[in-house]
Amino acid sequence: MPGGRLTQQDRQQIALGLADGLPYAEIARRLDRPTSTITREVMRNGGPTAYRADLAHRATERRAHRRGPAASRGPESVAQPHGRDAEAVREYEETLTTVFMQSGTPKMMARVLACLCISDAASLTASELVRRLQVSPASVSKAVAFLEEQGLVRRERDERRRERYFVDDDVWYQSMMASARGTAQVAETARQGVAILGAHTPAANRLENIGRFLDFVSESITRAAEQAREVLHTKPGETRGSV
């Protein structure tokens, strides 16, 4: 697997692959690169519908130029615990952020979520997030509000009365349950349209099918989340019950 930065020719091949509707994995295979490299490259440069090879290349050069003289102040230069490779951690955080973005999370919210996820404490204060991400307090506040609304982050006050934002194990369970409830609500609303549009009409039949499908999905998510919840509270290597 070749290393080094993507070249302008690589980026042109990425743009062509996107135009042809190729998945990231196939573009990566053709360039002999990790899929995560292609995913991160596309998502940080406009996404699959707005990616432009020349603009992406210039943007990367500008980022590299800005990073050079300020590298000592960047978050990647912070000493890492447990003997971790700081550069590898930074790259992983970017990859995790990109994956969250692919799932529909806006960029700033994805950055905050990724930062919390890789924190050993599973929690950070607003000032810690501002310092690590080098963004404004307003950006962090807006991102946390969004993530809290999605059930992905919870907040508490610590002993110093500072707000701390948590992304601990149970948050993922609660997020899945919130998703299931939202899906069930769409199903119920779809069924309400059946009587209004007239039973057995094409539109009513469509809504009835949507409602039945989403009911099944919601029930499946709820059942799976309940069965798998213990996984979140089991340390690697410990014996789990059947889920």
Side-chain angles (χ1 to χ4, degrees):
M1 192 76 69
R5 299 183 183 278
L6 291 170
T7 66
Q8 188 161 14
Q9 184 177 7
D10 290 335
R11 292 187 167 91
Q12 289 169 351
Q13 291 302 310
I14 291 171
L16 290 173
L18 293 172
D20 289 340
L22 298 179
Y24 294 149
E26 176 59 21
I27 297 173
R29 188 189 66 79
R30 295 186 178 192
L31 291 175
D32 198 19
R33 297 272 185 165
T35 301
S36 60
T37 297
I38 306 305
T39 303
R40 186 167 58 246
E41 164 69 15
V42 173
M43 295 306 295
R44 79 193 314 188
N45 290 292
T49 59
Y51 183 85
R52 300 292 182 272
D54 53 344
L55 296 180
H57 195 70
R58 286 200 293 270
T60 301
E61 289 181 333
R62 286 196 300 270
R63 283 194 295 268
H65 179 73
R66 289 197 304 267
R67 189 180 300 141
S72 61
R73 300 194 302 272
E76 64 273 16
S77 65
V78 176
Q80 291 289 325
H82 308 294
R84 294 168 180 150
D85 182 322
E87 180 64 17
V89 171
R90 186 186 66 80
E91 287 290 333
Y92 174 72
E93 185 174 351
E94 285 192 7
T95 298
L96 187 59
T97 298
T98 299
V99 170
F100 287 149
M101 290 168 61
Q102 276 193 293
S103 70
T105 306
K107 183 176 181 179
M108 191 64 238
M109 291 65 171
R111 292 188 67 199
V112 169
L113 185 58
C115 192
L116 287 167
C117 282
I118 67 171
S119 165
D120 284 316
S123 72
L124 294 167
T125 65
S127 61
E128 288 170 335
L129 284 166
V130 165
R131 186 170 63 253
R132 292 191 183 203
L133 299 175
Q134 299 189 0
V135 296
S136 70
S139 295
V140 168
S141 178
K142 182 178 178 181
V144 168
F146 173 89
L147 294 169
E148 190 175 30
E149 184 179 336
Q150 300 299 312
L152 289 168
V153 165
R154 65 179 175 84
R155 65 177 79 200
E156 292 181 2
R157 289 197 177 274
D158 62 18
E159 65 280 357
R160 296 171 57 185
R161 305 300 297 164
R162 298 175 306 178
E163 276 198 342
R164 297 194 70 87
Y165 309 122
F166 290 80
V167 66
D168 57 10
D169 293 340
D170 210 50
V171 161
W172 297 104
Y173 167 77
Q174 296 298 340
S175 177
M176 286 294 100
M177 296 303 288
S179 174
R181 289 191 295 271
T183 302
Q185 184 175 9
V186 175
E188 176 60 28
T189 304
R191 280 195 300 273
Q192 290 173 8
V194 173
I196 295 172
L197 296 171
H200 308 302
T201 63
N205 288 340
R206 185 181 311 114
L207 288 173
E208 176 64 30
N209 287 338
I210 290 171
R212 289 190 296 112
F213 171 78
L214 293 179
D215 268 339
F216 181 85
V217 170
S218 176
E219 291 167 4
S220 298
I221 291 173
T222 300
R223 184 165 55 251
E226 291 286 1
Q227 291 174 340
R229 191 178 189 182
E230 67 174 286
V231 173
L232 295 171
H233 303 283
T234 304
K235 294 180 180 179
E238 289 184 354
T239 302
R240 299 195 304 266
S242 177
V243 295

PDB file of all heavy atoms in Angstrom, residues 100-134:
ATOM      1  N   PHE A 100     -18.586   9.829  10.576  1.00  0.00           N
ATOM      2  CA  PHE A 100     -19.771  10.451  11.161  1.00  0.00           C
ATOM      3  C   PHE A 100     -20.441  11.376  10.145  1.00  0.00           C
ATOM      4  O   PHE A 100     -21.677  11.420  10.049  1.00  0.00           O
ATOM      5  CB  PHE A 100     -19.401  11.240  12.416  1.00  0.00           C
ATOM      6  CG  PHE A 100     -19.074  10.395  13.617  1.00  0.00           C
ATOM      7  CD1 PHE A 100     -18.150  10.829  14.563  1.00  0.00           C
ATOM      8  CD2 PHE A 100     -19.679   9.160  13.806  1.00  0.00           C
ATOM      9  CE1 PHE A 100     -17.854  10.054  15.680  1.00  0.00           C
ATOM     10  CE2 PHE A 100     -19.382   8.369  14.915  1.00  0.00           C
ATOM     11  CZ  PHE A 100     -18.469   8.823  15.856  1.00  0.00           C
ATOM     12  N   MET A 101     -19.641  12.102   9.377  1.00  0.00           N
ATOM     13  CA  MET A 101     -20.198  12.989   8.354  1.00  0.00           C
ATOM     14  C   MET A 101     -20.927  12.198   7.280  1.00  0.00           C
ATOM     15  O   MET A 101     -21.993  12.601   6.804  1.00  0.00           O
ATOM     16  CB  MET A 101     -19.087  13.841   7.740  1.00  0.00           C
ATOM     17  CG  MET A 101     -18.525  14.903   8.683  1.00  0.00           C
ATOM     18  SD  MET A 101     -16.992  15.664   8.044  1.00  0.00           S
ATOM     19  CE  MET A 101     -17.588  16.398   6.518  1.00  0.00           C
ATOM     20  N   GLN A 102     -20.372  11.065   6.906  1.00  0.00           N
ATOM     21  CA  GLN A 102     -21.021  10.222   5.902  1.00  0.00           C
ATOM     22  C   GLN A 102     -22.380   9.727   6.372  1.00  0.00           C
ATOM     23  O   GLN A 102     -23.288   9.510   5.566  1.00  0.00           O
ATOM     24  CB  GLN A 102     -20.141   9.016   5.572  1.00  0.00           C
ATOM     25  CG  GLN A 102     -19.080   9.282   4.527  1.00  0.00           C
ATOM     26  CD  GLN A 102     -18.469   7.988   4.044  1.00  0.00           C
ATOM     27  OE1 GLN A 102     -17.797   7.294   4.791  1.00  0.00           O
ATOM     28  NE2 GLN A 102     -18.706   7.656   2.806  1.00  0.00           N
ATOM     29  N   SER A 103     -22.516   9.546   7.674  1.00  0.00           N
ATOM     30  CA  SER A 103     -23.783   9.063   8.215  1.00  0.00           C
ATOM     31  C   SER A 103     -24.809  10.179   8.356  1.00  0.00           C
ATOM     32  O   SER A 103     -25.930   9.945   8.797  1.00  0.00           O
ATOM     33  CB  SER A 103     -23.565   8.398   9.580  1.00  0.00           C
ATOM     34  OG  SER A 103     -23.236   9.360  10.572  1.00  0.00           O
ATOM     35  N   GLY A 104     -24.432  11.415   7.995  1.00  0.00           N
ATOM     36  CA  GLY A 104     -25.376  12.523   8.006  1.00  0.00           C
ATOM     37  C   GLY A 104     -25.140  13.570   9.068  1.00  0.00           C
ATOM     38  O   GLY A 104     -25.895  14.532   9.166  1.00  0.00           O
ATOM     39  N   THR A 105     -24.090  13.414   9.867  1.00  0.00           N
ATOM     40  CA  THR A 105     -23.795  14.385  10.915  1.00  0.00           C
ATOM     41  C   THR A 105     -23.049  15.574  10.318  1.00  0.00           C
ATOM     42  O   THR A 105     -22.052  15.379   9.630  1.00  0.00           O
ATOM     43  CB  THR A 105     -22.928  13.755  12.019  1.00  0.00           C
ATOM     44  OG1 THR A 105     -23.565  12.566  12.505  1.00  0.00           O
ATOM     45  CG2 THR A 105     -22.728  14.722  13.179  1.00  0.00           C
ATOM     46  N   PRO A 106     -23.504  16.809  10.544  1.00  0.00           N
ATOM     47  CA  PRO A 106     -22.782  17.983  10.021  1.00  0.00           C
ATOM     48  C   PRO A 106     -21.335  18.016  10.521  1.00  0.00           C
ATOM     49  O   PRO A 106     -21.017  17.458  11.577  1.00  0.00           O
ATOM     50  CB  PRO A 106     -23.593  19.161  10.576  1.00  0.00           C
ATOM     51  CG  PRO A 106     -24.963  18.605  10.791  1.00  0.00           C
ATOM     52  CD  PRO A 106     -24.748  17.190  11.232  1.00  0.00           C
ATOM     53  N   LYS A 107     -20.475  18.699   9.767  1.00  0.00           N
ATOM     54  CA  LYS A 107     -19.033  18.618  10.017  1.00  0.00           C
ATOM     55  C   LYS A 107     -18.637  19.012  11.436  1.00  0.00           C
ATOM     56  O   LYS A 107     -17.889  18.294  12.106  1.00  0.00           O
ATOM     57  CB  LYS A 107     -18.286  19.493   9.003  1.00  0.00           C
ATOM     58  CG  LYS A 107     -16.763  19.401   9.144  1.00  0.00           C
ATOM     59  CD  LYS A 107     -16.066  20.197   8.059  1.00  0.00           C
ATOM     60  CE  LYS A 107     -14.546  20.081   8.208  1.00  0.00           C
ATOM     61  NZ  LYS A 107     -13.832  20.834   7.146  1.00  0.00           N
ATOM     62  N   MET A 108     -19.086  20.186  11.923  1.00  0.00           N
ATOM     63  CA  MET A 108     -18.669  20.629  13.247  1.00  0.00           C
ATOM     64  C   MET A 108     -19.156  19.666  14.314  1.00  0.00           C
ATOM     65  O   MET A 108     -18.444  19.356  15.277  1.00  0.00           O
ATOM     66  CB  MET A 108     -19.209  22.044  13.517  1.00  0.00           C
ATOM     67  CG  MET A 108     -18.618  22.698  14.764  1.00  0.00           C
ATOM     68  SD  MET A 108     -16.845  22.978  14.614  1.00  0.00           S
ATOM     69  CE  MET A 108     -16.229  22.067  15.985  1.00  0.00           C
ATOM     70  N   MET A 109     -20.384  19.183  14.169  1.00  0.00           N
ATOM     71  CA  MET A 109     -20.940  18.236  15.123  1.00  0.00           C
ATOM     72  C   MET A 109     -20.159  16.924  15.083  1.00  0.00           C
ATOM     73  O   MET A 109     -19.885  16.301  16.121  1.00  0.00           O
ATOM     74  CB  MET A 109     -22.411  17.964  14.819  1.00  0.00           C
ATOM     75  CG  MET A 109     -23.329  19.154  15.075  1.00  0.00           C
ATOM     76  SD  MET A 109     -22.993  20.569  13.963  1.00  0.00           S
ATOM     77  CE  MET A 109     -24.370  21.633  14.322  1.00  0.00           C
ATOM     78  N   ALA A 110     -19.752  16.519  13.881  1.00  0.00           N
ATOM     79  CA  ALA A 110     -18.963  15.291  13.737  1.00  0.00           C
ATOM     80  C   ALA A 110     -17.601  15.435  14.404  1.00  0.00           C
ATOM     81  O   ALA A 110     -17.091  14.496  15.031  1.00  0.00           O
ATOM     82  CB  ALA A 110     -18.797  14.949  12.260  1.00  0.00           C
ATOM     83  N   ARG A 111     -16.994  16.624  14.289  1.00  0.00           N
ATOM     84  CA  ARG A 111     -15.687  16.849  14.920  1.00  0.00           C
ATOM     85  C   ARG A 111     -15.788  16.765  16.440  1.00  0.00           C
ATOM     86  O   ARG A 111     -14.933  16.167  17.103  1.00  0.00           O
ATOM     87  CB  ARG A 111     -15.136  18.216  14.503  1.00  0.00           C
ATOM     88  CG  ARG A 111     -14.751  18.342  13.037  1.00  0.00           C
ATOM     89  CD  ARG A 111     -14.040  19.658  12.776  1.00  0.00           C
ATOM     90  NE  ARG A 111     -12.732  19.686  13.457  1.00  0.00           N
ATOM     91  CZ  ARG A 111     -12.053  20.793  13.712  1.00  0.00           C
ATOM     92  NH1 ARG A 111     -12.560  21.973  13.375  1.00  0.00           N
ATOM     93  NH2 ARG A 111     -10.894  20.737  14.318  1.00  0.00           N
ATOM     94  N   VAL A 112     -16.833  17.381  17.002  1.00  0.00           N
ATOM     95  CA  VAL A 112     -17.020  17.338  18.456  1.00  0.00           C
ATOM     96  C   VAL A 112     -17.275  15.905  18.909  1.00  0.00           C
ATOM     97  O   VAL A 112     -16.689  15.442  19.896  1.00  0.00           O
ATOM     98  CB  VAL A 112     -18.186  18.253  18.883  1.00  0.00           C
ATOM     99  CG1 VAL A 112     -18.566  18.013  20.334  1.00  0.00           C
ATOM    100  CG2 VAL A 112     -17.803  19.716  18.680  1.00  0.00           C
ATOM    101  N   LEU A 113     -18.117  15.178  18.193  1.00  0.00           N
ATOM    102  CA  LEU A 113     -18.437  13.803  18.572  1.00  0.00           C
ATOM    103  C   LEU A 113     -17.201  12.921  18.520  1.00  0.00           C
ATOM    104  O   LEU A 113     -16.952  12.116  19.430  1.00  0.00           O
ATOM    105  CB  LEU A 113     -19.520  13.252  17.647  1.00  0.00           C
ATOM    106  CG  LEU A 113     -20.061  11.865  17.986  1.00  0.00           C
ATOM    107  CD1 LEU A 113     -20.634  11.822  19.394  1.00  0.00           C
ATOM    108  CD2 LEU A 113     -21.118  11.445  16.962  1.00  0.00           C
ATOM    109  N   ALA A 114     -16.398  13.061  17.470  1.00  0.00           N
ATOM    110  CA  ALA A 114     -15.175  12.261  17.355  1.00  0.00           C
ATOM    111  C   ALA A 114     -14.204  12.595  18.476  1.00  0.00           C
ATOM    112  O   ALA A 114     -13.571  11.701  19.061  1.00  0.00           O
ATOM    113  CB  ALA A 114     -14.523  12.494  15.994  1.00  0.00           C
ATOM    114  N   CYS A 115     -14.074  13.885  18.800  1.00  0.00           N
ATOM    115  CA  CYS A 115     -13.166  14.314  19.857  1.00  0.00           C
ATOM    116  C   CYS A 115     -13.578  13.703  21.198  1.00  0.00           C
ATOM    117  O   CYS A 115     -12.736  13.241  21.974  1.00  0.00           O
ATOM    118  CB  CYS A 115     -13.163  15.837  19.937  1.00  0.00           C
ATOM    119  SG  CYS A 115     -11.838  16.527  20.951  1.00  0.00           S
ATOM    120  N   LEU A 116     -14.874  13.679  21.474  1.00  0.00           N
ATOM    121  CA  LEU A 116     -15.362  13.086  22.707  1.00  0.00           C
ATOM    122  C   LEU A 116     -15.142  11.576  22.728  1.00  0.00           C
ATOM    123  O   LEU A 116     -14.785  10.998  23.754  1.00  0.00           O
ATOM    124  CB  LEU A 116     -16.850  13.403  22.892  1.00  0.00           C
ATOM    125  CG  LEU A 116     -17.193  14.842  23.287  1.00  0.00           C
ATOM    126  CD1 LEU A 116     -18.685  15.097  23.132  1.00  0.00           C
ATOM    127  CD2 LEU A 116     -16.753  15.130  24.713  1.00  0.00           C
ATOM    128  N   CYS A 117     -15.356  10.940  21.587  1.00  0.00           N
ATOM    129  CA  CYS A 117     -15.242   9.488  21.519  1.00  0.00           C
ATOM    130  C   CYS A 117     -13.823   8.994  21.804  1.00  0.00           C
ATOM    131  O   CYS A 117     -13.636   7.922  22.380  1.00  0.00           O
ATOM    132  CB  CYS A 117     -15.684   8.978  20.145  1.00  0.00           C
ATOM    133  SG  CYS A 117     -17.466   8.924  19.922  1.00  0.00           S
ATOM    134  N   ILE A 118     -12.820   9.751  21.402  1.00  0.00           N
ATOM    135  CA  ILE A 118     -11.443   9.278  21.594  1.00  0.00           C
ATOM    136  C   ILE A 118     -10.837   9.785  22.899  1.00  0.00           C
ATOM    137  O   ILE A 118      -9.673   9.533  23.179  1.00  0.00           O
ATOM    138  CB  ILE A 118     -10.542   9.683  20.415  1.00  0.00           C
ATOM    139  CG1 ILE A 118     -10.337  11.200  20.358  1.00  0.00           C
ATOM    140  CG2 ILE A 118     -11.095   9.149  19.094  1.00  0.00           C
ATOM    141  CD1 ILE A 118      -9.285  11.618  19.345  1.00  0.00           C
ATOM    142  N   SER A 119     -11.650  10.483  23.693  1.00  0.00           N
ATOM    143  CA  SER A 119     -11.178  10.932  25.001  1.00  0.00           C
ATOM    144  C   SER A 119     -11.257   9.775  25.989  1.00  0.00           C
ATOM    145  O   SER A 119     -12.297   9.122  26.100  1.00  0.00           O
ATOM    146  CB  SER A 119     -12.039  12.105  25.491  1.00  0.00           C
ATOM    147  OG  SER A 119     -11.843  12.336  26.866  1.00  0.00           O
ATOM    148  N   ASP A 120     -10.183   9.501  26.718  1.00  0.00           N
ATOM    149  CA  ASP A 120     -10.206   8.428  27.707  1.00  0.00           C
ATOM    150  C   ASP A 120     -11.261   8.669  28.777  1.00  0.00           C
ATOM    151  O   ASP A 120     -11.868   7.728  29.287  1.00  0.00           O
ATOM    152  CB  ASP A 120      -8.829   8.275  28.363  1.00  0.00           C
ATOM    153  CG  ASP A 120      -7.833   7.572  27.457  1.00  0.00           C
ATOM    154  OD1 ASP A 120      -8.216   6.562  26.833  1.00  0.00           O
ATOM    155  OD2 ASP A 120      -6.684   8.030  27.356  1.00  0.00           O
ATOM    156  N   ALA A 121     -11.487   9.934  29.111  1.00  0.00           N
ATOM    157  CA  ALA A 121     -12.471  10.264  30.139  1.00  0.00           C
ATOM    158  C   ALA A 121     -13.900  10.219  29.606  1.00  0.00           C
ATOM    159  O   ALA A 121     -14.854  10.256  30.379  1.00  0.00           O
ATOM    160  CB  ALA A 121     -12.190  11.653  30.709  1.00  0.00           C
ATOM    161  N   ALA A 122     -14.057  10.133  28.283  1.00  0.00           N
ATOM    162  CA  ALA A 122     -15.373  10.141  27.631  1.00  0.00           C
ATOM    163  C   ALA A 122     -16.142  11.419  27.924  1.00  0.00           C
ATOM    164  O   ALA A 122     -17.352  11.471  27.781  1.00  0.00           O
ATOM    165  CB  ALA A 122     -16.206   8.920  28.031  1.00  0.00           C
ATOM    166  N   SER A 123     -15.434  12.462  28.345  1.00  0.00           N
ATOM    167  CA  SER A 123     -16.091  13.743  28.598  1.00  0.00           C
ATOM    168  C   SER A 123     -15.065  14.869  28.484  1.00  0.00           C
ATOM    169  O   SER A 123     -13.888  14.672  28.770  1.00  0.00           O
ATOM    170  CB  SER A 123     -16.729  13.761  29.983  1.00  0.00           C
ATOM    171  OG  SER A 123     -15.751  13.843  31.000  1.00  0.00           O
ATOM    172  N   LEU A 124     -15.558  16.027  28.057  1.00  0.00           N
ATOM    173  CA  LEU A 124     -14.719  17.220  27.953  1.00  0.00           C
ATOM    174  C   LEU A 124     -15.573  18.429  28.266  1.00  0.00           C
ATOM    175  O   LEU A 124     -16.803  18.407  28.084  1.00  0.00           O
ATOM    176  CB  LEU A 124     -14.135  17.353  26.539  1.00  0.00           C
ATOM    177  CG  LEU A 124     -13.135  16.287  26.078  1.00  0.00           C
ATOM    178  CD1 LEU A 124     -12.903  16.394  24.574  1.00  0.00           C
ATOM    179  CD2 LEU A 124     -11.809  16.431  26.827  1.00  0.00           C
ATOM    180  N   THR A 125     -14.939  19.508  28.711  1.00  0.00           N
ATOM    181  CA  THR A 125     -15.656  20.764  28.915  1.00  0.00           C
ATOM    182  C   THR A 125     -15.650  21.551  27.611  1.00  0.00           C
ATOM    183  O   THR A 125     -14.921  21.217  26.661  1.00  0.00           O
ATOM    184  CB  THR A 125     -14.984  21.606  30.013  1.00  0.00           C
ATOM    185  OG1 THR A 125     -13.668  21.981  29.558  1.00  0.00           O
ATOM    186  CG2 THR A 125     -14.873  20.835  31.314  1.00  0.00           C
ATOM    187  N   ALA A 126     -16.446  22.616  27.587  1.00  0.00           N
ATOM    188  CA  ALA A 126     -16.490  23.458  26.394  1.00  0.00           C
ATOM    189  C   ALA A 126     -15.117  24.045  26.100  1.00  0.00           C
ATOM    190  O   ALA A 126     -14.672  24.081  24.943  1.00  0.00           O
ATOM    191  CB  ALA A 126     -17.518  24.565  26.576  1.00  0.00           C
ATOM    192  N   SER A 127     -14.426  24.510  27.130  1.00  0.00           N
ATOM    193  CA  SER A 127     -13.113  25.124  26.909  1.00  0.00           C
ATOM    194  C   SER A 127     -12.101  24.097  26.393  1.00  0.00           C
ATOM    195  O   SER A 127     -11.237  24.422  25.571  1.00  0.00           O
ATOM    196  CB  SER A 127     -12.601  25.764  28.200  1.00  0.00           C
ATOM    197  OG  SER A 127     -12.456  24.800  29.232  1.00  0.00           O
ATOM    198  N   GLU A 128     -12.212  22.855  26.856  1.00  0.00           N
ATOM    199  CA  GLU A 128     -11.313  21.811  26.368  1.00  0.00           C
ATOM    200  C   GLU A 128     -11.583  21.502  24.903  1.00  0.00           C
ATOM    201  O   GLU A 128     -10.643  21.306  24.114  1.00  0.00           O
ATOM    202  CB  GLU A 128     -11.468  20.546  27.220  1.00  0.00           C
ATOM    203  CG  GLU A 128     -10.879  20.692  28.618  1.00  0.00           C
ATOM    204  CD  GLU A 128     -11.239  19.535  29.533  1.00  0.00           C
ATOM    205  OE1 GLU A 128     -12.286  18.875  29.304  1.00  0.00           O
ATOM    206  OE2 GLU A 128     -10.480  19.291  30.500  1.00  0.00           O
ATOM    207  N   LEU A 129     -12.849  21.486  24.516  1.00  0.00           N
ATOM    208  CA  LEU A 129     -13.193  21.252  23.112  1.00  0.00           C
ATOM    209  C   LEU A 129     -12.718  22.408  22.237  1.00  0.00           C
ATOM    210  O   LEU A 129     -12.202  22.192  21.138  1.00  0.00           O
ATOM    211  CB  LEU A 129     -14.703  21.061  22.965  1.00  0.00           C
ATOM    212  CG  LEU A 129     -15.251  19.710  23.415  1.00  0.00           C
ATOM    213  CD1 LEU A 129     -16.768  19.747  23.538  1.00  0.00           C
ATOM    214  CD2 LEU A 129     -14.836  18.604  22.431  1.00  0.00           C
ATOM    215  N   VAL A 130     -12.882  23.633  22.732  1.00  0.00           N
ATOM    216  CA  VAL A 130     -12.416  24.808  21.983  1.00  0.00           C
ATOM    217  C   VAL A 130     -10.917  24.713  21.748  1.00  0.00           C
ATOM    218  O   VAL A 130     -10.423  24.968  20.642  1.00  0.00           O
ATOM    219  CB  VAL A 130     -12.772  26.099  22.747  1.00  0.00           C
ATOM    220  CG1 VAL A 130     -11.996  27.287  22.188  1.00  0.00           C
ATOM    221  CG2 VAL A 130     -14.264  26.366  22.671  1.00  0.00           C
ATOM    222  N   ARG A 131     -10.187  24.342  22.782  1.00  0.00           N
ATOM    223  CA  ARG A 131      -8.724  24.272  22.671  1.00  0.00           C
ATOM    224  C   ARG A 131      -8.295  23.125  21.756  1.00  0.00           C
ATOM    225  O   ARG A 131      -7.400  23.292  20.920  1.00  0.00           O
ATOM    226  CB  ARG A 131      -8.112  24.083  24.062  1.00  0.00           C
ATOM    227  CG  ARG A 131      -6.591  24.139  24.075  1.00  0.00           C
ATOM    228  CD  ARG A 131      -6.045  24.193  25.486  1.00  0.00           C
ATOM    229  NE  ARG A 131      -6.378  22.997  26.259  1.00  0.00           N
ATOM    230  CZ  ARG A 131      -7.280  22.971  27.239  1.00  0.00           C
ATOM    231  NH1 ARG A 131      -7.974  24.058  27.547  1.00  0.00           N
ATOM    232  NH2 ARG A 131      -7.512  21.866  27.914  1.00  0.00           N
ATOM    233  N   ARG A 132      -8.917  21.982  21.892  1.00  0.00           N
ATOM    234  CA  ARG A 132      -8.514  20.827  21.082  1.00  0.00           C
ATOM    235  C   ARG A 132      -8.858  20.997  19.612  1.00  0.00           C
ATOM    236  O   ARG A 132      -8.094  20.612  18.736  1.00  0.00           O
ATOM    237  CB  ARG A 132      -9.166  19.552  21.624  1.00  0.00           C
ATOM    238  CG  ARG A 132      -8.651  19.134  22.995  1.00  0.00           C
ATOM    239  CD  ARG A 132      -9.120  17.752  23.339  1.00  0.00           C
ATOM    240  NE  ARG A 132      -8.698  17.357  24.677  1.00  0.00           N
ATOM    241  CZ  ARG A 132      -8.581  16.105  25.077  1.00  0.00           C
ATOM    242  NH1 ARG A 132      -8.857  15.120  24.245  1.00  0.00           N
ATOM    243  NH2 ARG A 132      -8.203  15.815  26.309  1.00  0.00           N
ATOM    244  N   LEU A 133     -10.035  21.544  19.356  1.00  0.00           N
ATOM    245  CA  LEU A 133     -10.486  21.683  17.969  1.00  0.00           C
ATOM    246  C   LEU A 133     -10.101  23.024  17.358  1.00  0.00           C
ATOM    247  O   LEU A 133     -10.211  23.206  16.147  1.00  0.00           O
ATOM    248  CB  LEU A 133     -12.005  21.504  17.898  1.00  0.00           C
ATOM    249  CG  LEU A 133     -12.532  20.143  18.362  1.00  0.00           C
ATOM    250  CD1 LEU A 133     -14.055  20.134  18.350  1.00  0.00           C
ATOM    251  CD2 LEU A 133     -11.987  19.022  17.471  1.00  0.00           C
ATOM    252  N   GLN A 134      -9.663  23.961  18.213  1.00  0.00           N
ATOM    253  CA  GLN A 134      -9.274  25.303  17.767  1.00  0.00           C
ATOM    254  C   GLN A 134     -10.398  25.972  16.976  1.00  0.00           C
ATOM    255  O   GLN A 134     -10.223  26.431  15.839  1.00  0.00           O
ATOM    256  CB  GLN A 134      -7.968  25.243  16.968  1.00  0.00           C
ATOM    257  CG  GLN A 134      -6.804  24.709  17.803  1.00  0.00           C
ATOM    258  CD  GLN A 134      -5.456  24.836  17.119  1.00  0.00           C
ATOM    259  OE1 GLN A 134      -5.359  25.334  16.006  1.00  0.00           O
ATOM    260  NE2 GLN A 134      -4.413  24.407  17.805  1.00  0.00           N
TER     261      GLN A 134
END
